[in-house]
Amino acid sequence: MKVTGIETIQLEEFGNILFVQVATDAGITGLGETFFGAPEVAAYLHETVAPKLVGEDPARIDRLRTALPGYVGTKGTGVERRGLSAVDMALWDIKGKHLGAPVYDLLGGASHDRVRVYNTCAGYRYVRKTVGQARANWGVGTDAIGPYEDLDAWLTGDAGVLAESLLAMGITGMKMWPFDEAAYRTNGTSITPAELDVAMRPFRRVREVVGHRMDLMVELHGLWQVPAALQIAQAFEREDIRPFWIEDPVRPDDIAALARFAHGTRLPTTASELLGNRGGFRELLEARAASYVMLDLGWCGGISEGKAIATLAESFGLPIAPHDCTGPVTWAAGCHLSLNAPNTLIQEVVRAFYTGWYTELVTGLPVVADGHVTLSDAPGLGTALVPGLAGRSDATVRRTGTM
Ligand SMILES: [Mg+2]
């Protein structure tokens, strides 16, 4: 089997997503995806990766994992890493289709029949436009698209009612990020007592309404510097909120700074979807800078790196929690790793996405029911672009080689 071509698809409506398809002379096509900077990732794939990939055997995934990267870009999640993440996903999809096995089976089989999920409380339009975490990119303040405008629910509505609605679906964990706006104001240098008080309200409200039946994930998006991040942690420690974790308090550029935070609070620290490849995560683990290992397969290097990172985490006695909140193929790939890895704690989902626009883009999504996710035994990722997606009027399609 040989790779014959590579195709990238961008949609103006979902400007951050890049779908990547890798075609073979066996008639099998693999699907991958990454998120943020879609045009520059597409350029990298067509200009630099495709000339090396076309003609190669797609089944030799580890060989290509080491052969495709260039000289620079070792541990980041920059353009090259994101592009290679999408290609790696597509190669696993091809291998699974070729062998007639789901990806989780190729990784070592299902360690779990189903995996517990938590809901990231975003709405349908969240992170549609820019590459940042600014409020301008949150998609708030517009007419409701469907029943799960979960960001508006905790930002301007009643987080307790939101928690009840999730519990009614069997979902027993929820993530919110009400500290972000204070971080924008001070560039993460400080937070006032009044801002702390306002940001604690949705968490307090959930405890008032549903008690401890709901686990609460606190997302800080890497927006803080260490002293203010510790003040936030201390606010949770003073009250009987007992959050499930504090996520990405600081950017993981300096692992020692993250370790300072993690060792400065008795609450579990989760990090980080912002890290790239096994080397980046090994530093995190060696510094004991996280209790839970968050990883994004569309950013860290794909399924190959994700499996390596999960195994590394296991060797350090730590669970993993694969990321969602970007696109449907990355989510599906994350669910394959979640089902396989013995040390999976929980899988992120966004109900506004998996019941909403994910279904407009792909078929064969993982199935969420009763607060858990599971996968069919369809070969490969089991997920495919909906027919005609590349023919949409807002699609930009580039091909190198033959598809
Ligand atoms: Mg996160």
Side-chain angles (χ1 to χ4, degrees):
M1 188 165 48
K2 295 266 185 283
V3 173
T4 59
I6 183 167
E7 176 185 68
T8 56
I9 302 171
Q10 301 162 239
L11 302 171
E12 202 179 311
E13 185 182 0
F14 305 96
N16 284 317
I17 296 182
L18 185 74
F19 293 115
V20 178
Q21 302 214 84
V22 176
T24 66
D25 61 2
I28 296 169
T29 299
L31 176 63
E33 176 196 280
T34 190
F35 194 83
F36 284 149
E40 50 266 41
V41 176
Y44 168 66
L45 291 178
H46 290 286
E47 306 298 330
T48 304
V49 173
K52 294 189 206 173
L53 183 60
V54 171
E56 290 290 325
D57 179 354
R60 300 171 76 178
I61 298 175
D62 269 328
R63 174 184 141 91
L64 292 168
R65 178 174 60 79
T66 54
L68 292 178
Y71 185 51
V72 294
T74 59
K75 288 183 294 193
T77 51
V79 166
E80 292 99 330
R81 179 76 57 205
R82 302 202 300 280
L84 294 170
S85 298
V87 167
D88 182 86
M89 265 181 223
L91 296 178
W92 280 97
D93 193 29
I94 290 169
K95 184 182 279 290
K97 288 171 174 167
H98 184 61
L99 298 175
V103 167
Y104 64 79
D105 221 5
L106 303 178
L107 293 174
S111 295
H112 325 277
D113 296 327
R114 58 181 198 162
V115 171
R116 185 188 173 203
V117 303
Y118 68 95
N119 188 65
T120 281
C121 297
Y124 297 91
R125 297 177 188 83
Y126 187 73
V127 198
R128 278 280 177 99
K129 298 297 176 194
T130 76
V131 298
Q133 270 297 341
R135 182 168 173 151
N137 204 22
W138 286 5
V140 292
T142 39
D143 295 337
I145 288 179
Y148 303 137
E149 289 292 2
D150 292 344
L151 180 59
D152 293 302
W154 62 260
L155 200 60
T156 56
D158 187 332
V161 173
L162 172 59
E164 284 180 319
S165 145
L166 289 163
L167 286 172
M169 298 171 76
I171 295 176
T172 54
M174 62 190 279
K175 184 150 86 187
M176 300 182 283
W177 44 103
F179 297 93
D180 285 16
E181 287 182 88
Y184 306 145
R185 188 185 64 77
T186 67
N187 205 21
T189 56
S190 65
I191 184 164
T192 67
E195 285 169 330
L196 260 180
D197 184 61
V198 168
M200 295 295 284
R201 282 177 194 166
F203 298 103
R204 286 187 198 123
R205 182 66 186 149
V206 172
R207 287 287 173 261
E208 278 167 23
V209 174
V210 304
H212 287 275
R213 288 189 294 140
M214 177 61 74
D215 282 328
L216 290 167
M217 288 74 172
V218 181
E219 170 67 274
L220 298 182
H221 282 136
L223 295 170
W224 295 95
Q225 293 177 310
V226 176
L230 282 169
Q231 277 184 281
I232 294 169
Q234 285 153 9
F236 280 100
E237 289 171 359
R238 278 193 299 272
E239 303 187 28
D240 190 32
I241 289 175
R242 283 182 272 165
F244 194 75
W245 72 44
I246 309 257
E247 179 173 340
D248 282 335
V250 299
R251 284 181 75 83
D253 293 321
D254 179 28
I255 295 297
L258 185 60
R260 246 190 89 200
F261 173 88
H263 301 160
T265 174
R266 54 176 193 270
L267 303 173
T269 300
T270 294
S272 171
E273 69 204 42
L274 304 175
L275 287 169
N277 93 357
R278 62 196 70 189
F281 281 86
R282 183 179 50 75
E283 289 179 359
L284 175 85
L285 294 161
E286 285 178 339
R288 273 67 179 173
S291 296
Y292 303 133
V293 177
M294 172 72 66
L295 69 169
D296 184 298
L297 299 191
W299 293 337
C300 75
I303 291 165
S304 299
E305 289 301 324
K307 175 64 178 171
I309 292 159
T311 303
L312 265 177
E314 186 185 358
S315 74
F316 279 82
L318 295 183
I320 63 161
H323 184 227
D324 181 30
C325 208
T326 56
V329 185
T330 297
W331 179 51
C335 290
H336 279 271
L337 180 63
S338 278
L339 212 63
N340 160 251
N343 54 329
T344 302
L345 171 69
I346 200 162
Q347 167 68 50
E348 184 168 4
V349 302
V350 186
R351 65 177 180 173
F353 292 7
Y354 75 77
T355 66
W357 59 268
Y358 279 7
T359 67
E360 296 168 24
L361 303 180
V362 304
T363 59
L365 283 168
V367 176
V368 181
D370 191 27
H372 292 75
V373 67
T374 195
L375 292 160
S376 74
D377 57 3
L381 291 172
T383 303
L385 299 179
V386 296
L389 193 82
R392 277 175 51 143
S393 62
D394 68 339
T396 301
V397 181
R398 281 186 71 178
R399 295 189 182 107
T400 300
T402 53
M403 297 300 294

